[in-house]
Amino acid sequence: MTFNKLSVGLALSLCVTVPALAEIDLSGSWAAINDEDAMERGAGPNPDDWAGIPFNEAGRARALSFEQSTISMPERICWFQTQWHIAAGPFSLRMWAVPDPLTGRVQAWIVGAWETRAPMTIWMDGRPHPSKNAPHDQTGFTTGVWNGNELIATTTHIKSGYIRRNGASSSDEAVITTHFRRHGDMMTVALFMNDPVYLTEPYVLTRSYNLSTNPVSIGGPPCIVGDEGVESGRVPHYLPGTNPMTDEMFKLYGIPKEAAMGGAETMYPEFRDKIKDKFKLPAKCVRNCGGGAGAGAN
């Protein structure tokens, strides 16, 4: 009887201290591969270019009201982005595990902060998400589960934030599902945005990272609110029907307005057949042409 008790105790101890074989180590510094989605870096995407975003009418109206000087409002200069910015932003990642002090198992994974994004804590201990009426912020509340060697994190309770830097927004009812999958010294992160307020279908964004021996910074210098030309109390915006940028994609690239304005059908290759007769090849490409400013259209 004593031997059986010892055997059971040893087995339980091993179950507690040895991680599941499906789990893998995601800790380390992961350098962003920024030639992916190159137009999202630097100066950012063209204004009013929302092709591929499954907007509904409310999402499109919200985006059309966006004026770039909004982010220069004193109360928004130091405003954090949501966790969607893991893939939408240009920065590298640093991840580490936090062990449970009693069992030694991973209680949480931490994705370190950036200058514009708070750290993400991915709770792995089975705790539930808060009530839907609990306070929301830019950080949100995130829980994770393993699916084989893939960590799947679900983030709720986030405030409204940007999907793209040109005004495409998510609402405070959005849910972000983030998939972390490691392939040796490379990691792929895929984010799915489900937003019943502004989107009709999930919006997907992926990023790739290389494992680096150079430590990635997990926070920038303190953000100091300064004068960026927008006085307190003024909210830069465009009223309905007054946004002057809605024809820019057609003027620059001959891309029809109905494509630039987004919508679920613009996500799929078949949409090109629908608008091909409306496409007009510009005589000269002058921006984001691949061959430098002023490169010919062909």
XYZ file of all heavy atoms in Angstrom, residues 66-104:
319
model
N -11.770 60.017 -40.243
C -10.442 60.156 -39.645
C -9.632 61.236 -40.343
O -9.515 61.266 -41.561
C -9.702 58.829 -39.720
C -8.278 58.883 -39.225
C -8.006 58.937 -37.873
C -7.217 58.875 -40.122
C -6.690 58.977 -37.410
C -5.905 58.921 -39.672
C -5.646 58.968 -38.316
N -9.040 62.118 -39.539
C -8.105 63.137 -40.022
C -6.791 62.919 -39.290
O -6.764 62.738 -38.075
C -8.676 64.520 -39.715
C -8.225 65.572 -40.732
C -7.027 66.351 -40.229
O -5.897 65.868 -40.407
O -7.231 67.431 -39.673
N -5.677 62.898 -40.020
C -4.411 62.460 -39.457
C -3.996 63.254 -38.226
O -3.338 62.735 -37.318
C -3.311 62.540 -40.522
C -2.008 61.871 -40.129
C -2.125 60.365 -39.971
O -2.784 59.717 -40.772
N -1.514 59.813 -38.941
N -4.394 64.507 -38.152
C -3.997 65.330 -37.009
C -4.674 64.891 -35.712
O -4.331 65.399 -34.634
C -4.319 66.802 -37.273
O -3.521 67.306 -38.322
N -5.608 63.940 -35.798
C -6.251 63.428 -34.586
C -5.223 62.917 -33.589
O -5.356 63.114 -32.375
C -7.231 62.293 -34.943
O -8.256 62.802 -35.796
C -7.868 61.696 -33.698
N -4.163 62.273 -34.099
C -3.174 61.697 -33.185
C -2.259 62.755 -32.584
O -1.410 62.435 -31.752
C -2.339 60.611 -33.893
C -1.551 61.195 -35.072
C -3.228 59.476 -34.363
C -0.637 60.192 -35.736
N -2.418 64.010 -32.983
C -1.659 65.108 -32.383
C -2.454 65.840 -31.316
O -1.965 66.830 -30.751
C -1.221 66.106 -33.468
O -0.268 65.522 -34.312
N -3.669 65.363 -31.009
C -4.406 65.920 -29.887
C -3.631 65.638 -28.599
O -3.066 64.551 -28.439
C -5.804 65.301 -29.804
C -6.701 65.625 -30.977
S -8.200 64.598 -30.998
C -8.926 65.016 -29.403
N -3.538 66.584 -27.673
C -2.737 66.370 -26.455
C -3.085 65.078 -25.724
O -2.192 64.397 -25.212
C -3.067 67.601 -25.604
C -3.420 68.649 -26.601
C -4.123 67.928 -27.720
N -4.369 64.708 -25.690
C -4.761 63.504 -24.968
C -4.491 62.219 -25.738
O -4.671 61.116 -25.216
C -6.244 63.558 -24.579
C -7.205 63.690 -25.745
C -7.550 65.144 -26.047
O -6.646 65.998 -26.010
O -8.728 65.409 -26.311
N -4.038 62.342 -26.998
C -3.766 61.151 -27.805
C -2.287 60.984 -28.167
O -1.920 59.960 -28.733
C -4.603 61.177 -29.092
C -6.092 61.027 -28.841
C -6.872 61.064 -30.141
N -8.302 60.976 -29.904
C -9.005 59.850 -29.889
N -8.396 58.704 -30.118
N -10.301 59.854 -29.662
N -1.460 61.945 -27.870
C -0.040 61.856 -28.221
C 0.606 60.634 -27.568
O 1.415 59.943 -28.176
C 0.691 63.143 -27.826
C 0.249 64.309 -28.732
C 2.204 62.962 -27.906
C 0.811 65.657 -28.326
N 0.244 60.357 -26.324
C 0.814 59.212 -25.600
C -0.183 58.056 -25.490
O -0.097 57.236 -24.572
C 1.268 59.650 -24.207
S 2.680 60.781 -24.232
N -1.097 57.979 -26.434
C -2.139 56.955 -26.413
C -1.569 55.637 -26.918
O -1.029 55.547 -28.011
C -3.290 57.425 -27.293
C -4.498 56.563 -27.312
C -5.126 55.999 -26.244
C -5.256 56.185 -28.467
N -6.240 55.302 -26.660
C -6.328 55.404 -28.020
C -5.127 56.448 -29.830
C -7.274 54.864 -28.890
C -6.064 55.914 -30.691
C -7.125 55.136 -30.227
N -1.686 54.559 -26.125
C -1.218 53.253 -26.554
C -2.097 52.682 -27.661
O -3.299 52.933 -27.719
C -1.239 52.263 -25.379
C -0.009 52.294 -24.533
C -0.116 52.279 -23.144
C 1.254 52.326 -25.094
C 1.015 52.296 -22.342
C 2.387 52.338 -24.311
C 2.265 52.328 -22.937
N -1.482 51.888 -28.517
C -2.233 51.089 -29.481
C -2.736 49.824 -28.789
O -2.262 49.443 -27.717
C -1.341 50.700 -30.670
C -0.713 51.861 -31.390
C -1.720 52.639 -32.226
O -2.857 52.231 -32.390
N -1.295 53.764 -32.757
N -3.688 49.132 -29.430
C -4.147 47.854 -28.891
C -3.135 46.765 -29.240
O -2.156 46.994 -29.946
C -5.521 47.476 -29.473
O -5.364 47.154 -30.868
C -6.518 48.615 -29.336
N -3.404 45.543 -28.784
C -2.492 44.438 -29.063
C -2.485 44.040 -30.543
O -1.623 43.256 -30.968
C -2.851 43.223 -28.189
C -2.764 43.482 -26.689
C -1.372 43.893 -26.222
O -0.400 43.806 -26.963
N -1.266 44.351 -24.981
N -3.397 44.565 -31.339
C -3.350 44.362 -32.785
C -2.040 44.908 -33.356
O -1.551 44.457 -34.394
C -4.532 45.062 -33.443
C -4.640 44.902 -34.923
C -4.301 45.807 -35.884
C -5.116 43.743 -35.625
N -4.544 45.298 -37.137
C -5.047 44.031 -37.008
C -5.609 42.496 -35.227
C -5.447 43.122 -37.990
C -6.003 41.599 -36.199
C -5.917 41.907 -37.556
N -1.449 45.860 -32.662
C -0.229 46.524 -33.140
C 0.980 45.583 -33.128
O 2.030 45.917 -33.671
C 0.047 47.752 -32.277
C 0.781 48.840 -32.983
N 0.361 49.363 -34.187
C 1.928 49.518 -32.670
C 1.202 50.307 -34.578
N 2.164 50.411 -33.679
N 0.845 44.400 -32.510
C 1.919 43.413 -32.585
C 2.252 43.109 -34.039
O 3.417 42.998 -34.419
C 1.518 42.122 -31.831
C 1.614 42.352 -30.320
C 2.380 40.939 -32.239
C 1.175 41.168 -29.502
N 1.216 42.961 -34.863
C 1.437 42.677 -36.288
C 1.383 43.940 -37.136
O 2.049 44.015 -38.169
C 0.410 41.661 -36.797
N 0.588 44.920 -36.735
C 0.437 46.130 -37.548
C 1.638 47.057 -37.425
O 1.910 47.856 -38.324
C -0.837 46.879 -37.152
N 2.378 46.965 -36.323
C 3.508 47.847 -36.102
C 4.816 47.262 -36.605
O 4.886 46.102 -37.012
N 5.888 48.045 -36.548
C 7.170 47.625 -37.118
C 8.130 46.984 -36.124
O 9.216 46.563 -36.507
C 7.751 48.947 -37.609
C 7.275 49.934 -36.584
C 5.891 49.468 -36.175
N 7.757 46.892 -34.856
C 8.732 46.562 -33.824
C 8.938 45.055 -33.651
O 8.090 44.239 -34.024
C 8.298 47.165 -32.490
C 8.203 48.659 -32.520
C 6.967 49.290 -32.572
C 9.342 49.433 -32.504
C 6.862 50.668 -32.596
C 9.257 50.822 -32.541
C 8.023 51.440 -32.580
N 10.077 44.717 -33.059
C 10.395 43.331 -32.751
C 9.713 42.921 -31.441
O 9.157 43.760 -30.728
C 11.913 43.146 -32.649
O 12.535 43.492 -33.880
N 9.770 41.614 -31.128
C 9.106 41.086 -29.937
C 10.128 40.501 -28.971
O 11.170 39.982 -29.389
C 8.119 39.977 -30.297
C 6.989 40.293 -31.264
C 6.133 39.048 -31.465
C 6.135 41.442 -30.761
N 9.814 40.596 -27.707
C 10.565 39.866 -26.686
C 9.560 39.158 -25.799
O 8.646 39.786 -25.266
C 11.434 40.820 -25.872
C 12.397 40.106 -24.918
C 13.374 41.107 -24.334
N 14.295 40.495 -23.395
C 15.257 41.176 -22.767
N 15.415 42.459 -23.009
N 16.055 40.561 -21.921
N 9.714 37.830 -25.662
C 8.747 37.023 -24.928
C 9.462 36.243 -23.827
O 10.605 35.824 -23.992
C 8.027 36.053 -25.875
C 7.218 36.726 -26.968
S 6.332 35.557 -28.033
C 5.173 34.819 -26.866
N 8.753 36.049 -22.719
C 9.290 35.224 -21.649
C 8.136 34.608 -20.864
O 7.007 35.097 -20.880
C 10.220 36.019 -20.739
C 9.582 37.154 -19.985
C 9.054 37.130 -18.731
C 9.420 38.504 -20.454
N 8.585 38.360 -18.377
C 8.798 39.224 -19.411
C 9.751 39.167 -21.656
C 8.480 40.576 -19.540
C 9.444 40.507 -21.776
C 8.816 41.200 -20.728
N 8.448 33.500 -20.175
C 7.448 32.780 -19.399
C 7.531 33.176 -17.937
O 8.616 33.446 -17.411
C 7.653 31.275 -19.552
N 6.374 33.204 -17.268
C 6.295 33.460 -15.834
C 5.811 32.176 -15.164
O 4.686 31.731 -15.424
C 5.338 34.624 -15.523
C 5.226 34.828 -14.018
C 5.801 35.901 -16.206
N 6.629 31.536 -14.308
C 6.217 30.272 -13.697
C 5.294 30.481 -12.501
O 5.368 31.500 -11.803
C 7.544 29.653 -13.262
C 8.423 30.841 -12.973
C 8.018 31.901 -13.956
N 4.437 29.507 -12.281
C 3.640 29.493 -11.062
C 4.579 29.196 -9.895
O 5.369 28.257 -9.954
C 2.557 28.413 -11.151
C 1.635 28.420 -9.952
O 2.070 27.954 -8.875
O 0.485 28.863 -10.082
N 4.536 29.981 -8.816
C 5.505 29.786 -7.727
C 5.341 28.459 -6.993
O 6.276 28.017 -6.319
C 5.223 30.974 -6.799
C 3.833 31.408 -7.122
C 3.647 31.126 -8.579
N 4.184 27.812 -7.104
C 3.957 26.555 -6.389
C 4.237 25.339 -7.266
O 4.873 24.381 -6.835
C 2.510 26.497 -5.866
C 2.138 27.554 -4.818
C 0.685 27.389 -4.411
C 3.045 27.441 -3.596
N 3.766 25.358 -8.509
C 3.872 24.177 -9.364
C 5.058 24.229 -10.318
O 5.501 23.200 -10.812
C 2.592 23.995 -10.195
O 2.477 25.088 -11.131
C 1.363 23.962 -9.288
N 5.539 25.424 -10.620
C 6.607 25.557 -11.601
C 6.130 25.576 -13.030
O 6.911 25.826 -13.950
